[in-house]
Amino acid sequence: MTETEAKKAPEGPQDRLAQVVDLLQRHKLIEDLTHRQEGGHQALVESLVHRQNLAELQRKLNELHPADVARILEALPFEERLTIWQLVKAERDGDILLEVSDAVRETLIADMDDHELLAAAKEMNADELADLAPELPRDVVHELMESLDGQQRERVRSALSYDSDQVGALMNFGMVTIREDVSLEVVLRYLRRLKELPGHTDKLFVVDYDGVLKGVLPIKRLLVNDPEKQVSDVMASDPVTFHPDEDAYEAAQAFERYDLVSSPVVDKNGKLIGRLTIDEIVDLIREESESEVLNMAGLREEEDIFASVWRSLRNRWAWLAINLVTAFAASRVIGLFGDAIERLVALAALMPIVAGIGGNSGNQTITMIVRAMALDQLGSGNTLRLLRKELGVSLINGLIWGGVIGVVAWLLYDSWKLGAVMVAAMTLNLLLAAFMGVLIPMTLAKLGKDPAMGASVMITAVTDSGGFLIFLGLATFFLMG
Amino acid sequence: MTETEAKKAPEGPQDRLAQVVDLLQRHKLIEDLTHRQEGGHQALVESLVHRQNLAELQRKLNELHPADVARILEALPFEERLTIWQLVKAERDGDILLEVSDAVRETLIADMDDHELLAAAKEMNADELADLAPELPRDVVHELMESLDGQQRERVRSALSYDSDQVGALMNFGMVTIREDVSLEVVLRYLRRLKELPGHTDKLFVVDYDGVLKGVLPIKRLLVNDPEKQVSDVMASDPVTFHPDEDAYEAAQAFERYDLVSSPVVDKNGKLIGRLTIDEIVDLIREESESEVLNMAGLREEEDIFASVWRSLRNRWAWLAINLVTAFAASRVIGLFGDAIERLVALAALMPIVAGIGGNSGNQTITMIVRAMALDQLGSGNTLRLLRKELGVSLINGLIWGGVIGVVAWLLYDSWKLGAVMVAAMTLNLLLAAFMGVLIPMTLAKLGKDPAMGASVMITAVTDSGGFLIFLGLATFFLMG
């Protein structure tokens, strides 16, 4: 970020982060911390140096933005992570817990006792509490809820009642509401009395006496218009609004399309109940694309890169086990053609080419489709057209690349028939890959699943078994007269 | 979005989008448009109905937000896309061109003549022009630049001089600057004189007489503080700032961490030269994760799902060709063991299991690493630790799943030796997959490439050739006495 050459620019949070990272690296504090239990005289001396370093580190850490502390914690292995976590001032625990990734948060919470957890959670808003609650011990949650006032408790309960992919789970309650029949001057005076505005307040929400949303007053308009004007003359009466049970990903797309910073959430009667802000949306977009990548590779969830071997195993087993079954099925297909392979061992060498290229091409198709579905570009109307296109691409790829490898096979094994079988098998398997590459994600979506879920394992299963069957079948038919 | 049940909430842009999509589907306008060239008497009658529909569609389209028109254009096949594009009012062309994806933008620009392009571009800001310029015909760009005033031309040139992954290419010039020695009252009056504030103005930039940034005045503070106060007393003097040659992805991470809406861009002397806004950052985050997904699958770029077969082929050929070479290499490895396979045809059936599971597991590892690198969680200090963990996971997976398949192979082919070779080969290939899964993205990153580039093809190449070599090698050694 702003490096040392930029002396004249004010020192921002990034500079402070760079300093701490530098400190961690320069003093090899990370390594010191790891080896601190190793005994001996030398260790004592080192530990004195070490304690000084720790004090400096602690001071620097407390100057950092909570998100930066979170980032440092995420990048540290388990043991060092907890050491740094203990250095952080207790009153900042809550802010930092809200910033770290789920996997890392779990390790930090496990390290805190109930008392510390309660203290950290007491500073939080209703929406923040709802984010954290599912991961807290049950008795801590109970005690927390008891300590809240009625409105807050209701808000936490309501936020918890939505699925994590619904707008209701993302909304917060930091709203400034005004009436439409007052002048901008009155609004300006009202804001001054508030002393502080909630984060990401780019518009004020105009409601009637029943709390029904009448429109929004963008701060921009408040600032440039004559203070004598009425709110109702200046406000926008057709704002983008959301319902709490709406799909959060669709809300994210609306934020992107309309370049929103904040937006009101209303219930079925149009009553204002909360708001969405861009920071939550950005996190959601990030998570969405992450889960797409993870799901395609057959990983169940995001994995803390320093997670224990055991946790990683659990995360990866499901799809590996499925892959085992599909690989075994492909193996049985080959088993059916044992005789043919015994008579012409070249088949064994050539068959993985057919399967492999089919898998790769299928993965390309599936990636395209999953992306188009995520962007909502696929309706039932254009599926057929898309399928035609993918089949066209596969046909040409099959004839051309199959042709290349067919000629090579011909020359290598001195059999033009074998070459021709290779071309035909490649082309057919690529067509199969295209067909299933379109069908698999669409079927998953129809079943209400994530279209990317294990897509890579599934397409490979089809192109492997299919490739072996097509190639060995054609070879048996045409070569084994 | 806000569905019909929400009668009381004001009608937002989403509702209007839903109406147009509905219109397109209900009247099957899309299909009408496709078949309009088919002749005959019936076509004439239909064309009358059709013309009415078109008029209604045009009216609705012109009420839509430009981003929504863009979305509709993206979801339509080529021919229908151009029909809708011609229905859109000329003065909105520019806004819509800026919203569509690169692939679709190209098809739209190809459909416009120089005159239309010039008219569309004339409405744009310097940063918008710079976004569009690389895709416009050279003489249109030349004429455009001639028509700009000195400052604007300088801004376009400067924006064009940065790579698309640098902050300079993303920044815009819609800034409101103020002095630090005035009162908030003066600032408020100044804003009122501006009549309109640039989008995403959540802070004003405080500069001295040389244009050097002294701090920022968040609008929130401007609103809640006493108007008598001086800017210098209220402003934040340590804002997050960026340099134009900084990595845009790092800037995006800073926006996420610090929940920014806008942020000043300064040169090496601290002089304010532009600003970054969250809307550009959201687009960048989306693009970044997209290119990660595409690169892993070996696709060169985002593909308009209705792109021509020819364009799709070009997009996918590079990695398919590489895959062909690697598949051929794997085939040659098998060729080396022709004798062994002839003697024990079970080897041909079992070898794809070893290769396939290795490929799947390697893909999981590589996905994890690419993600951790994207989030900046991988330093040189923790590579070894990570490698140890991945190798541990692979060892356990190999022994357990290898054990399962080994027992099956034993029972199936009645040879405990074959089973044992299977376990050993699975374990070794999974270890190879873990090792290369860590090594490949790290090496790519060291070479300054995208760590996800063709990662899937590369890891599969290694686990295929490696798997065949390990399995057939062990089998020859232990089974062919």
Side-chain angles (χ1 to χ4, degrees), chain A residues 2 10-11 14 68 71 195 224 237-238 241 256-258 286 290 298 303 312 316-317 324 331-332 349 357 360 364 371 376 389-390 397 412 457, chain B residues 2 10-11 14 68 71 195 224 237-238 241 256-258 286 290 298 303 307 312 316-317 324 331-332 349 357 360 364 371 376 389-390 397 412 457:
Chain A
T2 44
E11 182 187 77
Q14 307 130 290
D68 287 329
R71 197 183 165 203
K195 295 274 185 278
V224 299
S237 55
D238 63 344
T241 61
E256 281 186 73
R257 283 206 304 284
Y258 308 125
R286 181 70 87 178
E290 279 169 11
E303 196 178 298
S312 301
R316 304 184 195 183
W317 265 5
L324 199 76
S331 163
R332 298 314 295 153
I357 303 217
N360 188 319
Q364 290 185 336
R371 291 244 20 258
D376 245 352
K389 179 195 123 191
E390 289 297 324
N397 270 333
L412 207 60
V457 171
Chain B
T2 43
E11 182 189 75
Q14 305 129 291
D68 288 328
R71 199 183 164 201
K195 296 270 184 279
V224 299
S237 55
D238 63 344
T241 61
E256 280 186 75
R257 283 207 303 285
Y258 308 125
R286 181 70 87 181
E290 279 170 8
E303 197 177 296
S312 301
R316 304 181 195 185
W317 264 7
L324 199 77
S331 162
R332 296 315 295 152
I357 304 221
N360 188 319
Q364 289 185 337
R371 293 244 19 259
D376 244 353
K389 180 196 123 190
E390 289 297 325
N397 270 334
L412 207 62
V457 172

Coordinates of all heavy atoms in Angstrom, one line a residue, chain A residues 2 10-11 14 68 71 195 224 237-238 241 256-258 286 290 298 303 312 316-317 324 331-332 349 357 360 364 371 376 389-390 397 412 457, chain B residues 2 10-11 14 68 71 195 224 237-238 241 256-258 286 290 298 303 307 312 316-317 324 331-332 349 357 360 364 371 376 389-390 397 412 457:
Chain A
T2 N 0.5 2.3 0.7 CA 1.2 3.5 0.7 C 2.6 3.2 1.2 O 2.8 3.1 2.4 CB 0.6 4.6 1.5 OG1 0.1 4.1 2.7 CG2 -0.6 5.2 0.8
P10 N -0.8 11.4 4.2 CA -1.0 11.0 5.6 C -0.9 9.5 5.8 O -1.2 8.7 4.9 CB -2.5 11.5 5.8 CG -3.0 12.0 4.5 CD -2.0 11.9 3.5
E11 N -0.5 9.1 7.0 CA -0.3 7.7 7.3 C -1.7 7.1 7.5 O -2.4 7.4 8.5 CB 0.6 7.6 8.5 CG 0.9 6.1 8.9 CD 1.6 6.0 10.2 OE1 1.0 6.1 11.2 OE2 2.8 5.7 10.1
Q14 N -3.4 1.3 6.4 CA -2.6 0.3 5.6 C -1.1 0.4 6.1 O -0.4 -0.6 6.2 CB -2.6 0.6 4.1 CG -4.0 0.7 3.6 CD -4.1 1.9 2.8 OE1 -4.1 3.0 3.3 NE2 -4.2 1.8 1.5
D68 N -7.6 -5.8 10.2 CA -6.2 -6.1 9.9 C -5.7 -7.1 10.9 O -5.0 -8.0 10.6 CB -5.4 -4.9 10.0 CG -5.6 -4.0 8.8 OD1 -5.8 -4.6 7.7 OD2 -5.4 -2.8 8.9
R71 N -7.0 -10.3 9.8 CA -6.2 -10.8 8.6 C -4.9 -11.5 9.1 O -4.5 -12.6 8.6 CB -5.9 -9.7 7.7 CG -5.5 -10.1 6.4 CD -5.1 -8.9 5.6 NE -4.3 -9.3 4.4 CZ -3.5 -8.5 3.8 NH1 -3.3 -7.3 4.2 NH2 -2.9 -8.9 2.7
K195 N -25.5 13.1 16.9 CA -24.1 13.0 17.2 C -23.4 12.1 16.3 O -22.3 12.3 15.9 CB -23.9 12.6 18.7 CG -24.4 13.6 19.7 CD -23.3 14.6 20.0 CE -23.8 15.6 21.1 NZ -24.7 16.6 20.6
V224 N -27.4 19.2 -1.4 CA -27.4 20.2 -2.5 C -28.7 21.0 -2.6 O -28.7 22.0 -3.3 CB -27.0 19.6 -3.9 CG1 -25.7 18.9 -3.8 CG2 -28.1 18.6 -4.3
S237 N -39.1 8.5 -4.6 CA -40.2 7.7 -4.1 C -40.2 6.3 -4.8 O -41.1 5.6 -4.5 CB -41.5 8.5 -4.4 OG -41.5 8.8 -5.8
D238 N -39.2 6.0 -5.6 CA -39.2 4.6 -6.2 C -37.8 3.9 -5.9 O -37.1 3.5 -6.8 CB -39.4 4.7 -7.7 CG -38.3 5.4 -8.4 OD1 -37.5 6.2 -7.7 OD2 -38.1 5.3 -9.6
T241 N -36.1 -1.7 -3.1 CA -36.3 -2.2 -1.7 C -36.2 -3.7 -1.8 O -36.3 -4.3 -2.8 CB -37.7 -1.8 -1.2 OG1 -38.7 -2.4 -2.2 CG2 -37.9 -0.4 -1.2
E256 N -25.2 -4.6 -7.2 CA -24.2 -4.4 -8.3 C -24.8 -3.6 -9.4 O -24.2 -2.6 -10.0 CB -23.7 -5.7 -8.8 CG -22.7 -6.4 -7.9 CD -22.2 -7.7 -8.6 OE1 -21.4 -7.5 -9.6 OE2 -22.6 -8.7 -8.2
R257 N -26.0 -4.0 -9.8 CA -26.6 -3.3 -11.0 C -26.9 -1.9 -10.8 O -26.6 -1.0 -11.6 CB -27.9 -4.0 -11.4 CG -27.7 -5.3 -12.1 CD -28.9 -5.6 -13.0 NE -30.1 -5.6 -12.3 CZ -30.5 -6.6 -11.5 NH1 -29.8 -7.7 -11.4 NH2 -31.7 -6.6 -10.9
Y258 N -27.4 -1.6 -9.6 CA -27.9 -0.2 -9.3 C -26.9 0.6 -8.5 O -27.1 1.7 -8.1 CB -29.2 -0.2 -8.6 CG -30.3 -1.0 -9.3 CD1 -31.0 -2.0 -8.7 CD2 -30.6 -0.8 -10.7 CE1 -31.9 -2.8 -9.3 CE2 -31.5 -1.5 -11.3 CZ -32.2 -2.6 -10.6 OH -33.1 -3.3 -11.3
R286 N -18.1 -12.2 -2.3 CA -16.9 -12.9 -2.1 C -17.2 -14.4 -1.7 O -16.6 -15.3 -2.3 CB -16.1 -12.2 -1.0 CG -14.7 -12.8 -0.7 CD -13.7 -12.6 -1.8 NE -13.0 -11.4 -1.7 CZ -12.0 -11.0 -2.6 NH1 -11.7 -11.9 -3.5 NH2 -11.4 -9.9 -2.4
E290 N -16.5 -17.9 -3.8 CA -15.6 -18.9 -3.2 C -16.3 -20.2 -3.1 O -15.7 -21.2 -3.5 CB -15.3 -18.5 -1.7 CG -14.2 -17.5 -1.6 CD -14.1 -16.8 -0.3 OE1 -14.7 -17.3 0.7 OE2 -13.3 -15.9 -0.2
G298 N -15.2 -30.1 -5.3 CA -15.7 -31.1 -4.3 C -15.2 -30.9 -2.9 O -15.0 -31.8 -2.2
E303 N -11.9 -23.9 4.0 CA -11.0 -24.6 5.0 C -10.0 -23.6 5.4 O -9.3 -23.0 4.6 CB -10.4 -25.8 4.2 CG -9.8 -26.8 5.1 CD -9.3 -28.0 4.2 OE1 -10.1 -28.6 3.6 OE2 -8.1 -28.2 4.2
S312 N -9.5 -31.2 7.7 CA -9.4 -31.2 6.2 C -9.9 -32.5 5.7 O -10.6 -32.5 4.6 CB -7.9 -31.1 5.8 OG -7.4 -29.9 6.4
R316 N -13.0 -33.0 2.8 CA -12.8 -33.5 1.5 C -13.3 -34.9 1.2 O -13.3 -35.4 0.1 CB -11.2 -33.5 1.2 CG -10.7 -32.1 1.4 CD -9.2 -32.1 1.1 NE -8.6 -30.8 1.6 CZ -7.4 -30.5 1.4 NH1 -6.6 -31.3 0.7 NH2 -6.9 -29.4 2.0
W317 N -13.6 -35.6 2.3 CA -14.0 -37.0 2.1 C -15.2 -37.3 1.3 O -15.1 -38.2 0.4 CB -14.2 -37.7 3.5 CG -12.9 -38.3 3.9 CD1 -11.7 -38.3 3.3 CD2 -12.7 -39.1 5.1 NE1 -10.8 -39.0 4.0 CE2 -11.4 -39.5 5.1 CE3 -13.6 -39.6 6.1 CZ2 -10.8 -40.3 6.1 CZ3 -13.0 -40.4 7.1 CH2 -11.7 -40.7 7.2
L324 N -14.3 -42.3 -5.7 CA -13.9 -43.7 -5.6 C -14.9 -44.6 -6.3 O -14.5 -45.5 -7.0 CB -13.7 -44.1 -4.1 CG -12.8 -45.3 -3.9 CD1 -11.3 -44.9 -4.0 CD2 -13.0 -45.8 -2.5
S331 N -13.5 -48.5 -13.9 CA -12.6 -49.6 -14.0 C -13.4 -50.9 -14.4 O -12.9 -51.7 -15.2 CB -12.0 -49.8 -12.6 OG -11.5 -51.1 -12.4
R332 N -14.6 -51.0 -13.9 CA -15.4 -52.2 -14.3 C -15.7 -52.2 -15.8 O -15.8 -53.2 -16.5 CB -16.7 -52.3 -13.5 CG -16.5 -52.5 -12.0 CD -15.5 -53.6 -11.7 NE -15.9 -54.9 -12.1 CZ -15.0 -55.9 -12.4 NH1 -13.7 -55.7 -12.3 NH2 -15.5 -57.1 -12.7
A349 N -3.2 -48.2 -23.7 CA -2.4 -47.0 -23.7 C -3.2 -45.8 -24.3 O -3.0 -44.7 -23.8 CB -1.1 -47.2 -24.5
I357 N -9.2 -36.1 -22.2 CA -9.6 -34.9 -23.0 C -11.1 -34.6 -22.8 O -11.5 -33.5 -22.8 CB -9.2 -35.0 -24.5 CG1 -7.7 -35.3 -24.5 CG2 -9.6 -33.8 -25.3 CD1 -6.9 -34.7 -25.5
N360 N -11.5 -32.9 -19.5 CA -11.1 -31.5 -19.5 C -12.1 -30.6 -20.3 O -12.5 -29.6 -19.8 CB -9.7 -31.4 -20.3 CG -9.1 -30.1 -20.2 OD1 -9.8 -29.1 -20.4 ND2 -7.8 -30.0 -20.0
Q364 N -14.6 -27.5 -18.9 CA -14.8 -26.2 -19.5 C -16.2 -25.8 -19.7 O -16.7 -24.8 -19.4 CB -14.0 -26.1 -20.8 CG -12.5 -26.2 -20.7 CD -11.7 -26.0 -22.0 OE1 -12.3 -26.3 -23.1 NE2 -10.5 -25.5 -21.9
R371 N -21.2 -20.5 -14.4 CA -21.0 -19.1 -14.4 C -22.3 -18.3 -15.0 O -22.8 -17.4 -14.4 CB -19.8 -18.7 -15.2 CG -18.5 -19.1 -14.6 CD -17.7 -17.9 -14.2 NE -18.6 -16.7 -14.1 CZ -18.7 -15.8 -15.0 NH1 -18.0 -15.8 -16.1 NH2 -19.5 -14.8 -14.8
D376 N -27.4 -15.5 -13.9 CA -28.8 -15.4 -14.2 C -29.0 -15.3 -15.7 O -30.0 -14.7 -16.2 CB -29.5 -14.3 -13.5 CG -30.6 -14.8 -12.6 OD1 -30.8 -16.0 -12.6 OD2 -31.1 -14.0 -11.8
K389 N -24.8 -25.0 -29.4 CA -23.5 -24.4 -29.5 C -22.4 -25.3 -28.9 O -21.3 -25.5 -29.5 CB -23.5 -23.0 -28.8 CG -22.1 -22.3 -28.9 CD -21.9 -21.2 -27.9 CE -20.8 -21.4 -27.0 NZ -20.7 -20.5 -25.9
E390 N -22.6 -25.8 -27.7 CA -21.6 -26.6 -27.0 C -21.3 -27.8 -27.8 O -20.2 -28.3 -27.9 CB -22.1 -26.9 -25.6 CG -22.1 -25.7 -24.6 CD -20.7 -25.2 -24.4 OE1 -19.7 -25.9 -24.4 OE2 -20.6 -23.9 -24.3
N397 N -13.9 -29.7 -32.1 CA -12.7 -30.1 -31.3 C -12.5 -31.6 -31.5 O -11.3 -32.0 -31.6 CB -13.0 -29.9 -29.8 CG -12.5 -28.5 -29.4 OD1 -11.6 -27.9 -30.0 ND2 -13.1 -27.9 -28.4
L412 N 1.9 -44.6 -35.1 CA 2.6 -45.3 -34.0 C 2.3 -46.8 -33.9 O 3.2 -47.6 -33.7 CB 2.1 -44.6 -32.7 CG 3.0 -44.7 -31.4 CD1 4.3 -43.9 -31.7 CD2 2.3 -44.0 -30.3
V457 N -16.2 -33.7 -10.2 CA -16.2 -35.1 -10.0 C -17.2 -35.8 -10.9 O -17.0 -36.8 -11.5 CB -16.5 -35.4 -8.5 CG1 -16.7 -36.9 -8.3 CG2 -15.4 -34.9 -7.6
Chain B
T2 N -39.1 -7.3 -5.3 CA -40.3 -6.9 -4.7 C -41.5 -7.4 -5.6 O -41.7 -6.9 -6.7 CB -40.5 -5.4 -4.5 OG1 -40.0 -4.8 -5.7 CG2 -39.7 -4.9 -3.4
P10 N -43.1 1.3 -2.4 CA -43.0 2.0 -3.7 C -42.4 1.1 -4.8 O -41.7 0.2 -4.5 CB -42.1 3.2 -3.3 CG -41.6 3.0 -2.0 CD -42.3 1.8 -1.4
E11 N -42.9 1.4 -6.0 CA -42.4 0.5 -7.1 C -40.9 1.0 -7.5 O -40.7 2.1 -7.9 CB -43.3 0.7 -8.3 CG -42.9 -0.1 -9.5 CD -43.6 0.2 -10.8 OE1 -43.3 1.3 -11.4 OE2 -44.5 -0.5 -11.1
Q14 N -36.4 -2.6 -9.8 CA -36.5 -4.1 -9.9 C -37.9 -4.5 -10.5 O -38.0 -5.4 -11.3 CB -36.4 -4.8 -8.5 CG -35.1 -4.4 -7.8 CD -35.5 -4.0 -6.4 OE1 -36.1 -3.0 -6.2 NE2 -35.2 -4.8 -5.4
D68 N -30.1 -2.8 -16.2 CA -31.1 -3.8 -16.4 C -31.2 -4.1 -17.9 O -31.3 -5.2 -18.3 CB -32.5 -3.4 -15.9 CG -32.5 -3.5 -14.4 OD1 -31.8 -4.3 -13.8 OD2 -33.2 -2.7 -13.8
R71 N -28.4 -6.2 -18.7 CA -28.6 -7.6 -18.3 C -29.5 -8.4 -19.3 O -29.2 -9.5 -19.6 CB -29.3 -7.6 -17.0 CG -29.2 -8.8 -16.2 CD -30.0 -8.7 -14.9 NE -30.2 -10.0 -14.4 CZ -31.1 -10.3 -13.5 NH1 -32.0 -9.4 -13.1 NH2 -31.2 -11.5 -13.0
K195 N -25.0 22.0 -6.9 CA -26.3 21.4 -7.4 C -26.3 19.9 -7.4 O -27.3 19.3 -7.2 CB -26.5 21.9 -8.9 CG -26.8 23.4 -8.9 CD -28.2 23.8 -8.8 CE -28.5 25.3 -9.0 NZ -28.2 26.0 -7.7
V224 N -23.2 15.8 11.4 CA -23.5 15.7 12.8 C -22.7 16.8 13.6 O -23.0 17.0 14.8 CB -23.2 14.4 13.5 CG1 -24.1 13.3 12.8 CG2 -21.8 14.0 13.4
S237 N -7.5 12.7 9.5 CA -6.2 13.0 8.9 C -5.4 11.8 8.5 O -4.3 11.8 8.0 CB -5.4 13.9 9.8 OG -5.2 13.3 11.1
D238 N -5.9 10.6 8.8 CA -5.2 9.4 8.4 C -6.1 8.4 7.5 O -6.3 7.3 7.8 CB -4.8 8.6 9.7 CG -5.9 8.1 10.5 OD1 -7.1 8.6 10.3 OD2 -5.8 7.2 11.3
T241 N -5.4 5.7 1.7 CA -5.1 6.2 0.3 C -4.5 5.2 -0.6 O -3.9 4.2 -0.1 CB -4.2 7.4 0.4 OG1 -2.9 7.0 1.0 CG2 -4.7 8.5 1.3
E256 N -12.6 -3.9 1.2 CA -13.4 -4.9 2.0 C -13.0 -4.8 3.5 O -13.9 -4.8 4.3 CB -13.0 -6.3 1.5 CG -13.7 -6.7 0.3 CD -13.4 -8.2 0.0 OE1 -14.0 -9.1 0.6 OE2 -12.6 -8.4 -0.9
R257 N -11.7 -4.7 3.8 CA -11.3 -4.7 5.2 C -11.8 -3.5 5.9 O -12.3 -3.6 7.1 CB -9.8 -4.8 5.3 CG -9.2 -6.1 5.0 CD -7.9 -6.3 5.8 NE -6.9 -5.3 5.4 CZ -6.2 -5.2 4.3 NH1 -6.4 -6.1 3.4 NH2 -5.4 -4.3 4.0
Y258 N -11.7 -2.3 5.3 CA -12.0 -1.1 6.0 C -13.4 -0.6 5.7 O -13.8 0.5 6.0 CB -11.0 0.0 5.7 CG -9.6 -0.5 5.9 CD1 -8.6 -0.4 4.9 CD2 -9.2 -1.0 7.1 CE1 -7.3 -0.8 5.1 CE2 -7.9 -1.4 7.3 CZ -6.9 -1.3 6.3 OH -5.6 -1.7 6.5
R286 N -15.8 -9.3 -8.5 CA -16.6 -10.2 -9.3 C -15.7 -10.8 -10.4 O -15.6 -12.0 -10.6 CB -17.8 -9.5 -9.8 CG -18.7 -10.3 -10.7 CD -19.5 -11.4 -9.9 NE -20.7 -10.9 -9.3 CZ -21.6 -11.6 -8.6 NH1 -21.3 -12.9 -8.4 NH2 -22.7 -11.2 -8.1
E290 N -14.3 -14.6 -11.0 CA -14.6 -15.2 -12.3 C -13.3 -15.7 -13.0 O -13.3 -16.9 -13.4 CB -15.3 -14.2 -13.2 CG -16.8 -14.1 -12.9 CD -17.4 -13.0 -13.6 OE1 -16.8 -12.4 -14.5 OE2 -18.6 -12.7 -13.3
G298 N -9.1 -23.8 -17.5 CA -8.4 -23.7 -18.7 C -9.1 -22.9 -19.8 O -9.0 -23.2 -20.9
E303 N -16.6 -15.9 -21.5 CA -17.2 -16.2 -22.9 C -18.7 -15.9 -22.8 O -19.4 -16.3 -21.9 CB -17.0 -17.7 -23.1 CG -17.2 -18.2 -24.5 CD -16.9 -19.7 -24.7 OE1 -15.8 -20.1 -24.4 OE2 -17.8 -20.4 -25.0
A307 N -21.8 -16.8 -27.6 CA -20.7 -16.5 -28.5 C -20.8 -17.6 -29.7 O -21.3 -18.6 -29.5 CB -19.4 -16.6 -27.8
S312 N -15.8 -19.5 -29.3 CA -15.6 -20.5 -28.2 C -14.4 -21.4 -28.4 O -13.7 -21.7 -27.5 CB -16.9 -21.3 -28.1 OG -18.0 -20.5 -27.8
R316 N -11.0 -21.9 -26.0 CA -10.8 -23.2 -25.2 C -9.6 -24.0 -25.8 O -9.2 -24.9 -25.2 CB -12.0 -24.0 -25.3 CG -13.2 -23.3 -24.7 CD -14.5 -24.2 -24.7 NE -15.6 -23.3 -24.5 CZ -16.8 -23.9 -24.3 NH1 -17.0 -25.2 -24.4 NH2 -17.9 -23.1 -24.2
W317 N -9.2 -23.6 -27.0 CA -8.2 -24.4 -27.7 C -6.9 -24.5 -26.9 O -6.3 -25.6 -26.8 CB -7.9 -23.9 -29.1 CG -8.8 -24.7 -30.1 CD1 -9.7 -25.6 -29.7 CD2 -8.7 -24.6 -31.5 NE1 -10.3 -26.0 -30.9 CE2 -9.7 -25.5 -32.0 CE3 -8.0 -23.8 -32.4 CZ2 -10.0 -25.6 -33.3 CZ3 -8.2 -24.0 -33.7 CH2 -9.2 -24.9 -34.2
L324 N -3.9 -32.3 -24.6 CA -3.7 -33.3 -25.6 C -2.2 -33.9 -25.5 O -2.0 -35.1 -25.5 CB -3.9 -32.8 -27.0 CG -4.1 -33.8 -28.1 CD1 -5.5 -34.4 -28.0 CD2 -3.9 -33.2 -29.5
S331 N -0.1 -41.6 -22.1 CA -0.3 -42.7 -22.9 C 1.0 -43.5 -23.2 O 1.1 -44.7 -23.1 CB -1.0 -42.3 -24.2 OG -0.9 -43.3 -25.2
R332 N 2.1 -42.7 -23.4 CA 3.4 -43.3 -23.6 C 3.9 -44.0 -22.4 O 4.6 -45.0 -22.5 CB 4.4 -42.2 -24.1 CG 4.1 -41.5 -25.4 CD 3.7 -42.5 -26.5 NE 4.7 -43.4 -26.9 CZ 4.5 -44.6 -27.4 NH1 3.2 -45.1 -27.6 NH2 5.4 -45.4 -27.8
A349 N -7.4 -52.2 -16.1 CA -8.7 -51.8 -15.5 C -8.5 -51.0 -14.2 O -9.2 -50.1 -13.9 CB -9.5 -53.1 -15.2
I357 N -8.4 -40.7 -8.9 CA -8.5 -40.2 -7.5 C -7.3 -39.2 -7.2 O -7.5 -38.2 -6.5 CB -8.5 -41.4 -6.5 CG1 -9.7 -42.3 -7.0 CG2 -8.6 -40.9 -5.1 CD1 -10.5 -42.9 -5.9
N360 N -8.4 -35.9 -8.7 CA -9.5 -35.3 -7.9 C -8.9 -34.6 -6.6 O -9.1 -33.5 -6.3 CB -10.5 -36.3 -7.5 CG -11.7 -35.7 -6.8 OD1 -11.6 -34.9 -6.0 ND2 -12.9 -36.2 -7.2
Q364 N -8.4 -30.6 -5.4 CA -8.9 -30.1 -4.1 C -7.8 -29.3 -3.5 O -8.0 -28.1 -3.0 CB -9.3 -31.2 -3.1 CG -10.6 -31.9 -3.6 CD -11.1 -32.9 -2.6 OE1 -10.3 -33.5 -1.8 NE2 -12.4 -33.2 -2.6
R371 N -7.0 -20.3 -3.5 CA -7.9 -19.4 -2.7 C -7.1 -18.7 -1.6 O -7.2 -17.5 -1.4 CB -9.0 -20.2 -2.0 CG -10.0 -20.8 -3.0 CD -11.3 -20.2 -2.7 NE -11.2 -18.9 -2.0 CZ -11.4 -18.8 -0.7 NH1 -11.8 -19.8 0.1 NH2 -11.2 -17.7 -0.1
D376 N -4.2 -13.7 0.2 CA -3.0 -13.2 0.8 C -2.6 -13.9 2.1 O -2.0 -13.4 2.9 CB -3.1 -11.7 1.0 CG -2.1 -11.0 0.2 OD1 -1.3 -11.7 -0.5 OD2 -2.1 -9.8 0.2
K389 N 0.8 -30.4 6.1 CA -0.6 -30.7 6.3 C -1.2 -31.4 5.1 O -1.8 -32.4 5.3 CB -1.4 -29.4 6.6 CG -2.8 -29.7 6.8 CD -3.7 -28.4 6.7 CE -4.8 -28.6 5.7 NZ -5.5 -27.4 5.3
E390 N -0.9 -30.9 3.9 CA -1.5 -31.5 2.7 C -1.0 -32.9 2.5 O -1.7 -33.8 2.2 CB -1.2 -30.6 1.5 CG -1.9 -29.3 1.4 CD -3.5 -29.5 1.4 OE1 -3.9 -30.4 0.8 OE2 -4.2 -28.7 2.0
N397 N -5.7 -40.3 3.5 CA -6.6 -40.6 2.4 C -6.1 -41.8 1.6 O -6.9 -42.7 1.3 CB -6.8 -39.5 1.4 CG -7.9 -38.6 1.9 OD1 -8.9 -39.0 2.5 ND2 -7.9 -37.3 1.5
L412 N -11.5 -59.2 -6.0 CA -12.0 -59.3 -7.3 C -11.0 -60.1 -8.2 O -11.5 -60.9 -9.0 CB -12.1 -57.9 -7.9 CG -13.1 -57.6 -9.0 CD1 -14.5 -57.9 -8.5 CD2 -13.0 -56.2 -9.4
V457 N -5.6 -28.6 -15.6 CA -5.0 -29.4 -16.6 C -3.6 -29.8 -16.1 O -3.2 -31.0 -16.3 CB -4.8 -28.5 -17.9 CG1 -4.0 -29.3 -18.9 CG2 -6.2 -28.2 -18.5

